[in-house]
Amino acid sequence: MIGVIFGPPGSGKGTQAARVEHELGLKHLSTGDILRHEVAEGTPVGREAARIMAAGDLVPDELIVDIVRRRLPEAEAGAGVLLDGFPRTLRQAQALDRMLADEGHRVGFVVALDVPEHDLMDRILHRAQVQGRADDTREAIAERMREYHKLTEAVLDHYRRQDVAVERVDGTGTPEQVFERIRGAIGLSSG
Ligand code: ADP
């Protein structure tokens, strides 16, 4: 089972993806986490990505597709994969579809978390204090929200056209409540 989780910055998608991994056994593959790790390690990829990420912009498609291509086979070897933060653009979605098709796989479900924007700003500014992420400044957050709305709808439409179940899930409430909604949505979509 290959799933994708979408959510605007601060929607709690990383938290939910970790729970899906823990409770439903799908391997969590977060491109944001991978990039932050590369930045922290000072790798060539990390050096290229650091400034782009800090500004809230997207790193180049080729760079991110390479990262996923290297990690997908191992992740796919298990019960399933939950992609978090990827694909973010139509080109990334097309690249992903090709990689999966080579293994006889395809995206099985898409979950999109919906959270009102005023809740998001509060959550992110709180996270900025706790975790000190370089891209949790007001300007970078606003830029990431703009990017999210502009690009995500195109990717969701891409999957709807392929008759992949695209589930919009209410992301407000406690993490437990949100997780139960996701569990229900995935259950429905997988038949
Ligand atoms: P958020 O959802 O809070 O914006 P992520 O952890 O998913 O955070 O991503 C953080 C940053 O990493 C993005 O703003 C972007 O710069 C970079 N990034 C992550 N995934 C991708 C991707 N698929 N394509 C391009 N850039 C990405």
PDB file of all heavy atoms in Angstrom, residues 7-11 13 30-33 35-36 49 52-61 64 68 84-89 92 124 127 133 135-136 140 144 148, ligand 1:
ATOM      1  N   GLY A   7      -0.714  18.218   3.785  1.00  0.00           N
ATOM      2  CA  GLY A   7      -1.239  19.130   4.790  1.00  0.00           C
ATOM      3  C   GLY A   7      -0.436  20.396   4.725  1.00  0.00           C
ATOM      4  O   GLY A   7       0.776  20.344   4.498  1.00  0.00           O
ATOM      5  N   PRO A   8      -1.084  21.541   4.929  1.00  0.00           N
ATOM      6  CA  PRO A   8      -0.323  22.796   4.920  1.00  0.00           C
ATOM      7  C   PRO A   8       0.673  22.819   6.069  1.00  0.00           C
ATOM      8  O   PRO A   8       0.553  22.019   7.004  1.00  0.00           O
ATOM      9  CB  PRO A   8      -1.409  23.866   5.115  1.00  0.00           C
ATOM     10  CG  PRO A   8      -2.573  23.157   5.687  1.00  0.00           C
ATOM     11  CD  PRO A   8      -2.511  21.742   5.215  1.00  0.00           C
ATOM     12  N   PRO A   9       1.686  23.699   6.007  1.00  0.00           N
ATOM     13  CA  PRO A   9       2.647  23.811   7.101  1.00  0.00           C
ATOM     14  C   PRO A   9       1.900  23.970   8.427  1.00  0.00           C
ATOM     15  O   PRO A   9       0.960  24.755   8.507  1.00  0.00           O
ATOM     16  CB  PRO A   9       3.430  25.082   6.771  1.00  0.00           C
ATOM     17  CG  PRO A   9       3.276  25.256   5.292  1.00  0.00           C
ATOM     18  CD  PRO A   9       1.932  24.689   4.946  1.00  0.00           C
ATOM     19  N   GLY A  10       2.292  23.209   9.433  1.00  0.00           N
ATOM     20  CA  GLY A  10       1.669  23.330  10.750  1.00  0.00           C
ATOM     21  C   GLY A  10       0.406  22.512  10.917  1.00  0.00           C
ATOM     22  O   GLY A  10      -0.232  22.536  11.969  1.00  0.00           O
ATOM     23  N   SER A  11       0.037  21.737   9.900  1.00  0.00           N
ATOM     24  CA  SER A  11      -1.222  20.978   9.974  1.00  0.00           C
ATOM     25  C   SER A  11      -1.086  19.715  10.820  1.00  0.00           C
ATOM     26  O   SER A  11      -2.072  19.033  11.064  1.00  0.00           O
ATOM     27  CB  SER A  11      -1.682  20.597   8.569  1.00  0.00           C
ATOM     28  OG  SER A  11      -0.714  19.765   7.962  1.00  0.00           O
ATOM     29  N   LYS A  13       0.887  17.165   9.952  1.00  0.00           N
ATOM     30  CA  LYS A  13       1.000  16.000   9.057  1.00  0.00           C
ATOM     31  C   LYS A  13       2.156  15.092   9.467  1.00  0.00           C
ATOM     32  O   LYS A  13       2.031  13.872   9.388  1.00  0.00           O
ATOM     33  CB  LYS A  13       1.049  16.490   7.606  1.00  0.00           C
ATOM     34  CG  LYS A  13       2.318  16.318   6.844  1.00  0.00           C
ATOM     35  CD  LYS A  13       2.223  17.013   5.505  1.00  0.00           C
ATOM     36  CE  LYS A  13       3.228  18.150   5.417  1.00  0.00           C
ATOM     37  NZ  LYS A  13       4.620  17.758   5.239  1.00  0.00           N
ATOM     38  N   SER A  30       9.521  11.038   4.957  1.00  0.00           N
ATOM     39  CA  SER A  30       9.291  12.485   4.969  1.00  0.00           C
ATOM     40  C   SER A  30      10.440  13.202   4.263  1.00  0.00           C
ATOM     41  O   SER A  30      11.577  13.176   4.741  1.00  0.00           O
ATOM     42  CB  SER A  30       9.184  12.986   6.413  1.00  0.00           C
ATOM     43  OG  SER A  30       9.441  14.382   6.475  1.00  0.00           O
ATOM     44  N   THR A  31      10.148  13.841   3.143  1.00  0.00           N
ATOM     45  CA  THR A  31      11.225  14.537   2.428  1.00  0.00           C
ATOM     46  C   THR A  31      11.736  15.728   3.245  1.00  0.00           C
ATOM     47  O   THR A  31      12.919  16.037   3.202  1.00  0.00           O
ATOM     48  CB  THR A  31      10.769  14.993   1.028  1.00  0.00           C
ATOM     49  OG1 THR A  31       9.505  15.639   1.129  1.00  0.00           O
ATOM     50  CG2 THR A  31      10.676  13.824   0.082  1.00  0.00           C
ATOM     51  N   GLY A  32      10.860  16.373   4.019  1.00  0.00           N
ATOM     52  CA  GLY A  32      11.300  17.476   4.870  1.00  0.00           C
ATOM     53  C   GLY A  32      12.297  16.989   5.920  1.00  0.00           C
ATOM     54  O   GLY A  32      13.349  17.605   6.132  1.00  0.00           O
ATOM     55  N   ASP A  33      11.989  15.854   6.561  1.00  0.00           N
ATOM     56  CA  ASP A  33      12.907  15.296   7.569  1.00  0.00           C
ATOM     57  C   ASP A  33      14.246  14.919   6.936  1.00  0.00           C
ATOM     58  O   ASP A  33      15.306  15.165   7.509  1.00  0.00           O
ATOM     59  CB  ASP A  33      12.304  14.035   8.223  1.00  0.00           C
ATOM     60  CG  ASP A  33      11.188  14.362   9.204  1.00  0.00           C
ATOM     61  OD1 ASP A  33      10.992  15.556   9.521  1.00  0.00           O
ATOM     62  OD2 ASP A  33      10.511  13.415   9.645  1.00  0.00           O
ATOM     63  N   LEU A  35      15.624  16.150   4.221  1.00  0.00           N
ATOM     64  CA  LEU A  35      16.374  17.369   3.876  1.00  0.00           C
ATOM     65  C   LEU A  35      16.968  18.028   5.117  1.00  0.00           C
ATOM     66  O   LEU A  35      18.120  18.462   5.095  1.00  0.00           O
ATOM     67  CB  LEU A  35      15.466  18.362   3.143  1.00  0.00           C
ATOM     68  CG  LEU A  35      15.105  17.991   1.706  1.00  0.00           C
ATOM     69  CD1 LEU A  35      14.040  18.945   1.172  1.00  0.00           C
ATOM     70  CD2 LEU A  35      16.334  18.030   0.805  1.00  0.00           C
ATOM     71  N   ARG A  36      16.191  18.094   6.194  1.00  0.00           N
ATOM     72  CA  ARG A  36      16.727  18.717   7.419  1.00  0.00           C
ATOM     73  C   ARG A  36      17.927  17.921   7.926  1.00  0.00           C
ATOM     74  O   ARG A  36      18.898  18.495   8.424  1.00  0.00           O
ATOM     75  CB  ARG A  36      15.629  18.827   8.494  1.00  0.00           C
ATOM     76  CG  ARG A  36      14.705  20.025   8.270  1.00  0.00           C
ATOM     77  CD  ARG A  36      13.700  20.214   9.403  1.00  0.00           C
ATOM     78  NE  ARG A  36      12.669  19.196   9.394  1.00  0.00           N
ATOM     79  CZ  ARG A  36      11.584  19.233   8.613  1.00  0.00           C
ATOM     80  NH1 ARG A  36      11.376  20.249   7.806  1.00  0.00           N
ATOM     81  NH2 ARG A  36      10.705  18.263   8.656  1.00  0.00           N
ATOM     82  N   ALA A  49      20.336  22.784  -0.368  1.00  0.00           N
ATOM     83  CA  ALA A  49      18.941  22.961   0.058  1.00  0.00           C
ATOM     84  C   ALA A  49      18.768  24.009   1.154  1.00  0.00           C
ATOM     85  O   ALA A  49      17.693  24.610   1.266  1.00  0.00           O
ATOM     86  CB  ALA A  49      18.385  21.615   0.539  1.00  0.00           C
ATOM     87  N   ILE A  52      17.419  27.561   0.294  1.00  0.00           N
ATOM     88  CA  ILE A  52      16.104  27.461  -0.339  1.00  0.00           C
ATOM     89  C   ILE A  52      15.045  27.165   0.722  1.00  0.00           C
ATOM     90  O   ILE A  52      13.987  27.795   0.761  1.00  0.00           O
ATOM     91  CB  ILE A  52      16.106  26.321  -1.388  1.00  0.00           C
ATOM     92  CG1 ILE A  52      17.183  26.579  -2.455  1.00  0.00           C
ATOM     93  CG2 ILE A  52      14.734  26.170  -2.012  1.00  0.00           C
ATOM     94  CD1 ILE A  52      17.382  25.422  -3.435  1.00  0.00           C
ATOM     95  N   MET A  53      15.353  26.220   1.583  1.00  0.00           N
ATOM     96  CA  MET A  53      14.389  25.843   2.620  1.00  0.00           C
ATOM     97  C   MET A  53      14.147  26.985   3.585  1.00  0.00           C
ATOM     98  O   MET A  53      13.012  27.236   3.989  1.00  0.00           O
ATOM     99  CB  MET A  53      14.885  24.621   3.386  1.00  0.00           C
ATOM    100  CG  MET A  53      14.870  23.359   2.559  1.00  0.00           C
ATOM    101  SD  MET A  53      15.649  22.004   3.453  1.00  0.00           S
ATOM    102  CE  MET A  53      14.417  21.650   4.714  1.00  0.00           C
ATOM    103  N   ALA A  54      15.207  27.672   3.977  1.00  0.00           N
ATOM    104  CA  ALA A  54      15.057  28.751   4.951  1.00  0.00           C
ATOM    105  C   ALA A  54      14.162  29.858   4.416  1.00  0.00           C
ATOM    106  O   ALA A  54      13.488  30.544   5.180  1.00  0.00           O
ATOM    107  CB  ALA A  54      16.418  29.306   5.346  1.00  0.00           C
ATOM    108  N   ALA A  55      14.118  30.010   3.090  1.00  0.00           N
ATOM    109  CA  ALA A  55      13.254  31.037   2.486  1.00  0.00           C
ATOM    110  C   ALA A  55      11.826  30.538   2.288  1.00  0.00           C
ATOM    111  O   ALA A  55      10.953  31.296   1.879  1.00  0.00           O
ATOM    112  CB  ALA A  55      13.844  31.482   1.150  1.00  0.00           C
ATOM    113  N   GLY A  56      11.605  29.249   2.551  1.00  0.00           N
ATOM    114  CA  GLY A  56      10.266  28.697   2.370  1.00  0.00           C
ATOM    115  C   GLY A  56       9.963  28.286   0.942  1.00  0.00           C
ATOM    116  O   GLY A  56       8.824  27.995   0.594  1.00  0.00           O
ATOM    117  N   ASP A  57      10.996  28.273   0.089  1.00  0.00           N
ATOM    118  CA  ASP A  57      10.795  27.856  -1.301  1.00  0.00           C
ATOM    119  C   ASP A  57      10.993  26.349  -1.429  1.00  0.00           C
ATOM    120  O   ASP A  57      11.519  25.702  -0.532  1.00  0.00           O
ATOM    121  CB  ASP A  57      11.784  28.578  -2.218  1.00  0.00           C
ATOM    122  CG  ASP A  57      11.510  30.074  -2.264  1.00  0.00           C
ATOM    123  OD1 ASP A  57      10.330  30.453  -2.177  1.00  0.00           O
ATOM    124  OD2 ASP A  57      12.480  30.846  -2.364  1.00  0.00           O
ATOM    125  N   LEU A  58      10.617  25.810  -2.600  1.00  0.00           N
ATOM    126  CA  LEU A  58      10.801  24.382  -2.840  1.00  0.00           C
ATOM    127  C   LEU A  58      12.166  24.122  -3.444  1.00  0.00           C
ATOM    128  O   LEU A  58      12.617  24.872  -4.309  1.00  0.00           O
ATOM    129  CB  LEU A  58       9.720  23.856  -3.797  1.00  0.00           C
ATOM    130  CG  LEU A  58       8.286  23.870  -3.277  1.00  0.00           C
ATOM    131  CD1 LEU A  58       7.356  23.240  -4.309  1.00  0.00           C
ATOM    132  CD2 LEU A  58       8.165  23.143  -1.949  1.00  0.00           C
ATOM    133  N   VAL A  59      12.790  23.051  -3.015  1.00  0.00           N
ATOM    134  CA  VAL A  59      14.064  22.654  -3.637  1.00  0.00           C
ATOM    135  C   VAL A  59      13.755  22.108  -5.033  1.00  0.00           C
ATOM    136  O   VAL A  59      12.628  21.721  -5.319  1.00  0.00           O
ATOM    137  CB  VAL A  59      14.834  21.629  -2.773  1.00  0.00           C
ATOM    138  CG1 VAL A  59      15.025  22.138  -1.355  1.00  0.00           C
ATOM    139  CG2 VAL A  59      14.131  20.292  -2.746  1.00  0.00           C
ATOM    140  N   PRO A  60      14.756  22.067  -5.937  1.00  0.00           N
ATOM    141  CA  PRO A  60      14.482  21.632  -7.315  1.00  0.00           C
ATOM    142  C   PRO A  60      13.907  20.212  -7.375  1.00  0.00           C
ATOM    143  O   PRO A  60      14.301  19.347  -6.589  1.00  0.00           O
ATOM    144  CB  PRO A  60      15.861  21.680  -7.982  1.00  0.00           C
ATOM    145  CG  PRO A  60      16.659  22.634  -7.163  1.00  0.00           C
ATOM    146  CD  PRO A  60      16.144  22.495  -5.754  1.00  0.00           C
ATOM    147  N   ASP A  61      12.993  19.998  -8.322  1.00  0.00           N
ATOM    148  CA  ASP A  61      12.348  18.687  -8.463  1.00  0.00           C
ATOM    149  C   ASP A  61      13.371  17.560  -8.591  1.00  0.00           C
ATOM    150  O   ASP A  61      13.227  16.511  -7.977  1.00  0.00           O
ATOM    151  CB  ASP A  61      11.437  18.674  -9.706  1.00  0.00           C
ATOM    152  CG  ASP A  61      10.141  19.440  -9.490  1.00  0.00           C
ATOM    153  OD1 ASP A  61       9.685  19.558  -8.321  1.00  0.00           O
ATOM    154  OD2 ASP A  61       9.570  19.924 -10.484  1.00  0.00           O
ATOM    155  N   ILE A  64      14.924  16.417  -5.313  1.00  0.00           N
ATOM    156  CA  ILE A  64      14.027  15.704  -4.391  1.00  0.00           C
ATOM    157  C   ILE A  64      13.635  14.335  -4.977  1.00  0.00           C
ATOM    158  O   ILE A  64      13.512  13.352  -4.264  1.00  0.00           O
ATOM    159  CB  ILE A  64      12.800  16.591  -4.054  1.00  0.00           C
ATOM    160  CG1 ILE A  64      12.213  16.175  -2.715  1.00  0.00           C
ATOM    161  CG2 ILE A  64      11.743  16.592  -5.096  1.00  0.00           C
ATOM    162  CD1 ILE A  64      12.930  16.766  -1.563  1.00  0.00           C
ATOM    163  N   VAL A  68      14.099  10.588  -3.212  1.00  0.00           N
ATOM    164  CA  VAL A  68      13.040   9.588  -3.052  1.00  0.00           C
ATOM    165  C   VAL A  68      13.413   8.304  -3.784  1.00  0.00           C
ATOM    166  O   VAL A  68      13.227   7.203  -3.267  1.00  0.00           O
ATOM    167  CB  VAL A  68      11.689  10.144  -3.539  1.00  0.00           C
ATOM    168  CG1 VAL A  68      10.623   9.063  -3.540  1.00  0.00           C
ATOM    169  CG2 VAL A  68      11.260  11.328  -2.667  1.00  0.00           C
ATOM    170  N   ASP A  84       5.297  11.690   2.886  1.00  0.00           N
ATOM    171  CA  ASP A  84       4.941  12.934   3.588  1.00  0.00           C
ATOM    172  C   ASP A  84       5.825  14.038   3.004  1.00  0.00           C
ATOM    173  O   ASP A  84       7.041  13.976   3.110  1.00  0.00           O
ATOM    174  CB  ASP A  84       5.203  12.702   5.091  1.00  0.00           C
ATOM    175  CG  ASP A  84       5.319  13.980   5.913  1.00  0.00           C
ATOM    176  OD1 ASP A  84       5.076  15.084   5.390  1.00  0.00           O
ATOM    177  OD2 ASP A  84       5.664  13.850   7.104  1.00  0.00           O
ATOM    178  N   GLY A  85       5.190  15.015   2.358  1.00  0.00           N
ATOM    179  CA  GLY A  85       5.957  16.130   1.783  1.00  0.00           C
ATOM    180  C   GLY A  85       6.331  15.896   0.330  1.00  0.00           C
ATOM    181  O   GLY A  85       6.998  16.732  -0.285  1.00  0.00           O
ATOM    182  N   PHE A  86       5.926  14.799  -0.221  1.00  0.00           N
ATOM    183  CA  PHE A  86       6.239  14.421  -1.598  1.00  0.00           C
ATOM    184  C   PHE A  86       5.114  13.531  -2.112  1.00  0.00           C
ATOM    185  O   PHE A  86       4.689  12.643  -1.364  1.00  0.00           O
ATOM    186  CB  PHE A  86       7.564  13.658  -1.645  1.00  0.00           C
ATOM    187  CG  PHE A  86       7.961  13.173  -3.024  1.00  0.00           C
ATOM    188  CD1 PHE A  86       8.740  13.973  -3.848  1.00  0.00           C
ATOM    189  CD2 PHE A  86       7.543  11.933  -3.482  1.00  0.00           C
ATOM    190  CE1 PHE A  86       9.108  13.532  -5.115  1.00  0.00           C
ATOM    191  CE2 PHE A  86       7.894  11.486  -4.753  1.00  0.00           C
ATOM    192  CZ  PHE A  86       8.683  12.294  -5.567  1.00  0.00           C
ATOM    193  N   PRO A  87       4.630  13.687  -3.350  1.00  0.00           N
ATOM    194  CA  PRO A  87       5.026  14.698  -4.325  1.00  0.00           C
ATOM    195  C   PRO A  87       4.347  16.040  -4.065  1.00  0.00           C
ATOM    196  O   PRO A  87       3.201  16.094  -3.681  1.00  0.00           O
ATOM    197  CB  PRO A  87       4.516  14.102  -5.643  1.00  0.00           C
ATOM    198  CG  PRO A  87       3.314  13.282  -5.249  1.00  0.00           C
ATOM    199  CD  PRO A  87       3.617  12.752  -3.889  1.00  0.00           C
ATOM    200  N   ARG A  88       5.095  17.109  -4.285  1.00  0.00           N
ATOM    201  CA  ARG A  88       4.574  18.444  -4.040  1.00  0.00           C
ATOM    202  C   ARG A  88       4.252  19.176  -5.333  1.00  0.00           C
ATOM    203  O   ARG A  88       3.599  20.217  -5.303  1.00  0.00           O
ATOM    204  CB  ARG A  88       5.613  19.258  -3.286  1.00  0.00           C
ATOM    205  CG  ARG A  88       5.370  19.394  -1.788  1.00  0.00           C
ATOM    206  CD  ARG A  88       6.233  20.525  -1.337  1.00  0.00           C
ATOM    207  NE  ARG A  88       6.215  20.996   0.015  1.00  0.00           N
ATOM    208  CZ  ARG A  88       6.579  20.359   1.102  1.00  0.00           C
ATOM    209  NH1 ARG A  88       6.885  19.098   1.068  1.00  0.00           N
ATOM    210  NH2 ARG A  88       6.612  20.965   2.262  1.00  0.00           N
ATOM    211  N   THR A  89       4.756  18.720  -6.446  1.00  0.00           N
ATOM    212  CA  THR A  89       4.471  19.354  -7.735  1.00  0.00           C
ATOM    213  C   THR A  89       4.003  18.275  -8.706  1.00  0.00           C
ATOM    214  O   THR A  89       4.214  17.078  -8.465  1.00  0.00           O
ATOM    215  CB  THR A  89       5.733  20.011  -8.335  1.00  0.00           C
ATOM    216  OG1 THR A  89       6.679  18.970  -8.654  1.00  0.00           O
ATOM    217  CG2 THR A  89       6.384  20.992  -7.377  1.00  0.00           C
ATOM    218  N   GLN A  92       6.822  16.139  -9.848  1.00  0.00           N
ATOM    219  CA  GLN A  92       7.203  15.133  -8.844  1.00  0.00           C
ATOM    220  C   GLN A  92       6.203  13.975  -8.851  1.00  0.00           C
ATOM    221  O   GLN A  92       6.586  12.812  -8.715  1.00  0.00           O
ATOM    222  CB  GLN A  92       7.270  15.762  -7.452  1.00  0.00           C
ATOM    223  CG  GLN A  92       8.422  16.747  -7.281  1.00  0.00           C
ATOM    224  CD  GLN A  92       8.451  17.373  -5.891  1.00  0.00           C
ATOM    225  OE1 GLN A  92       7.800  16.900  -4.960  1.00  0.00           O
ATOM    226  NE2 GLN A  92       9.218  18.445  -5.745  1.00  0.00           N
ATOM    227  N   ILE A 124       2.477  26.963  14.309  1.00  0.00           N
ATOM    228  CA  ILE A 124       3.843  27.022  13.790  1.00  0.00           C
ATOM    229  C   ILE A 124       4.715  27.934  14.640  1.00  0.00           C
ATOM    230  O   ILE A 124       5.871  27.613  14.912  1.00  0.00           O
ATOM    231  CB  ILE A 124       3.876  27.517  12.334  1.00  0.00           C
ATOM    232  CG1 ILE A 124       3.062  26.594  11.459  1.00  0.00           C
ATOM    233  CG2 ILE A 124       5.311  27.555  11.826  1.00  0.00           C
ATOM    234  CD1 ILE A 124       2.982  27.065  10.032  1.00  0.00           C
ATOM    235  N   ARG A 127       5.741  26.013  17.481  1.00  0.00           N
ATOM    236  CA  ARG A 127       6.781  25.042  17.118  1.00  0.00           C
ATOM    237  C   ARG A 127       8.139  25.743  16.962  1.00  0.00           C
ATOM    238  O   ARG A 127       9.178  25.201  17.320  1.00  0.00           O
ATOM    239  CB  ARG A 127       6.406  24.334  15.809  1.00  0.00           C
ATOM    240  CG  ARG A 127       7.445  23.327  15.333  1.00  0.00           C
ATOM    241  CD  ARG A 127       6.963  22.528  14.137  1.00  0.00           C
ATOM    242  NE  ARG A 127       6.976  23.304  12.903  1.00  0.00           N
ATOM    243  CZ  ARG A 127       6.486  22.886  11.741  1.00  0.00           C
ATOM    244  NH1 ARG A 127       5.914  21.706  11.664  1.00  0.00           N
ATOM    245  NH2 ARG A 127       6.547  23.632  10.670  1.00  0.00           N
ATOM    246  N   ARG A 133      13.064  25.562  14.181  1.00  0.00           N
ATOM    247  CA  ARG A 133      13.288  25.295  12.755  1.00  0.00           C
ATOM    248  C   ARG A 133      13.603  26.586  12.013  1.00  0.00           C
ATOM    249  O   ARG A 133      12.951  27.608  12.210  1.00  0.00           O
ATOM    250  CB  ARG A 133      12.029  24.668  12.142  1.00  0.00           C
ATOM    251  CG  ARG A 133      12.110  23.168  12.069  1.00  0.00           C
ATOM    252  CD  ARG A 133      10.850  22.555  11.523  1.00  0.00           C
ATOM    253  NE  ARG A 133      10.476  23.040  10.198  1.00  0.00           N
ATOM    254  CZ  ARG A 133       9.594  22.419   9.436  1.00  0.00           C
ATOM    255  NH1 ARG A 133       9.018  21.305   9.850  1.00  0.00           N
ATOM    256  NH2 ARG A 133       9.279  22.902   8.261  1.00  0.00           N
ATOM    257  N   ASP A 135      13.009  27.518   9.099  1.00  0.00           N
ATOM    258  CA  ASP A 135      12.004  28.053   8.171  1.00  0.00           C
ATOM    259  C   ASP A 135      10.696  28.412   8.871  1.00  0.00           C
ATOM    260  O   ASP A 135       9.691  28.631   8.224  1.00  0.00           O
ATOM    261  CB  ASP A 135      11.764  27.077   7.006  1.00  0.00           C
ATOM    262  CG  ASP A 135      11.278  25.703   7.473  1.00  0.00           C
ATOM    263  OD1 ASP A 135      11.315  25.429   8.695  1.00  0.00           O
ATOM    264  OD2 ASP A 135      10.861  24.918   6.602  1.00  0.00           O
ATOM    265  N   ASP A 136      10.681  28.471  10.185  1.00  0.00           N
ATOM    266  CA  ASP A 136       9.471  28.860  10.905  1.00  0.00           C
ATOM    267  C   ASP A 136       9.464  30.348  11.263  1.00  0.00           C
ATOM    268  O   ASP A 136       9.207  30.733  12.393  1.00  0.00           O
ATOM    269  CB  ASP A 136       9.291  27.986  12.158  1.00  0.00           C
ATOM    270  CG  ASP A 136       8.717  26.611  11.824  1.00  0.00           C
ATOM    271  OD1 ASP A 136       8.186  26.439  10.707  1.00  0.00           O
ATOM    272  OD2 ASP A 136       8.781  25.720  12.681  1.00  0.00           O
ATOM    273  N   ALA A 140       8.654  33.123   5.904  1.00  0.00           N
ATOM    274  CA  ALA A 140       8.820  31.801   5.294  1.00  0.00           C
ATOM    275  C   ALA A 140       7.529  30.986   5.412  1.00  0.00           C
ATOM    276  O   ALA A 140       7.165  30.241   4.504  1.00  0.00           O
ATOM    277  CB  ALA A 140       9.991  31.055   5.944  1.00  0.00           C
ATOM    278  N   ARG A 144       5.440  29.390   2.366  1.00  0.00           N
ATOM    279  CA  ARG A 144       5.138  27.954   2.281  1.00  0.00           C
ATOM    280  C   ARG A 144       3.639  27.712   2.145  1.00  0.00           C
ATOM    281  O   ARG A 144       3.216  26.802   1.445  1.00  0.00           O
ATOM    282  CB  ARG A 144       5.694  27.230   3.508  1.00  0.00           C
ATOM    283  CG  ARG A 144       7.156  26.826   3.306  1.00  0.00           C
ATOM    284  CD  ARG A 144       7.918  26.799   4.607  1.00  0.00           C
ATOM    285  NE  ARG A 144       7.366  25.879   5.566  1.00  0.00           N
ATOM    286  CZ  ARG A 144       7.417  26.070   6.897  1.00  0.00           C
ATOM    287  NH1 ARG A 144       7.954  27.174   7.390  1.00  0.00           N
ATOM    288  NH2 ARG A 144       6.916  25.171   7.704  1.00  0.00           N
ATOM    289  N   TYR A 148       1.916  25.899  -0.941  1.00  0.00           N
ATOM    290  CA  TYR A 148       1.110  24.709  -0.662  1.00  0.00           C
ATOM    291  C   TYR A 148      -0.200  24.757  -1.428  1.00  0.00           C
ATOM    292  O   TYR A 148      -0.557  23.818  -2.125  1.00  0.00           O
ATOM    293  CB  TYR A 148       0.835  24.581   0.845  1.00  0.00           C
ATOM    294  CG  TYR A 148      -0.059  23.399   1.146  1.00  0.00           C
ATOM    295  CD1 TYR A 148       0.460  22.116   1.181  1.00  0.00           C
ATOM    296  CD2 TYR A 148      -1.424  23.554   1.360  1.00  0.00           C
ATOM    297  CE1 TYR A 148      -0.346  21.019   1.414  1.00  0.00           C
ATOM    298  CE2 TYR A 148      -2.242  22.464   1.597  1.00  0.00           C
ATOM    299  CZ  TYR A 148      -1.696  21.199   1.625  1.00  0.00           C
ATOM    300  OH  TYR A 148      -2.504  20.110   1.842  1.00  0.00           O
TER     301      TYR A 148
HETATM  302  P1  ADP B   1       6.123  21.980   5.840  1.00  0.00           P
HETATM  303  O1  ADP B   1       4.998  21.082   5.418  1.00  0.00           O
HETATM  304  O2  ADP B   1       5.983  22.438   7.254  1.00  0.00           O
HETATM  305  O3  ADP B   1       6.383  23.095   4.884  1.00  0.00           O
HETATM  306  P2  ADP B   1       8.225  19.966   5.234  1.00  0.00           P
HETATM  307  O4  ADP B   1       8.985  19.401   6.365  1.00  0.00           O
HETATM  308  O5  ADP B   1       7.356  19.018   4.474  1.00  0.00           O
HETATM  309  O6  ADP B   1       7.447  21.163   5.897  1.00  0.00           O
HETATM  310  O7  ADP B   1       9.227  20.677   4.184  1.00  0.00           O
HETATM  311  C1  ADP B   1      10.111  21.690   4.594  1.00  0.00           C
HETATM  312  C2  ADP B   1      10.824  22.297   3.394  1.00  0.00           C
HETATM  313  O8  ADP B   1      11.606  21.286   2.722  1.00  0.00           O
HETATM  314  C3  ADP B   1       9.922  22.853   2.296  1.00  0.00           C
HETATM  315  O9  ADP B   1       9.503  24.163   2.558  1.00  0.00           O
HETATM  316  C4  ADP B   1      10.851  22.758   1.074  1.00  0.00           C
HETATM  317  O10 ADP B   1      11.805  23.800   1.057  1.00  0.00           O
HETATM  318  C5  ADP B   1      11.591  21.460   1.310  1.00  0.00           C
HETATM  319  N1  ADP B   1      10.891  20.294   0.695  1.00  0.00           N
HETATM  320  C6  ADP B   1      10.374  19.214   1.352  1.00  0.00           C
HETATM  321  N2  ADP B   1       9.802  18.357   0.503  1.00  0.00           N
HETATM  322  C7  ADP B   1       9.951  18.894  -0.737  1.00  0.00           C
HETATM  323  C8  ADP B   1       9.552  18.510  -2.056  1.00  0.00           C
HETATM  324  N3  ADP B   1       8.865  17.372  -2.276  1.00  0.00           N
HETATM  325  N4  ADP B   1       9.887  19.318  -3.101  1.00  0.00           N
HETATM  326  C9  ADP B   1      10.565  20.445  -2.905  1.00  0.00           C
HETATM  327  N5  ADP B   1      10.952  20.887  -1.699  1.00  0.00           N
HETATM  328  C10 ADP B   1      10.657  20.130  -0.613  1.00  0.00           C
END
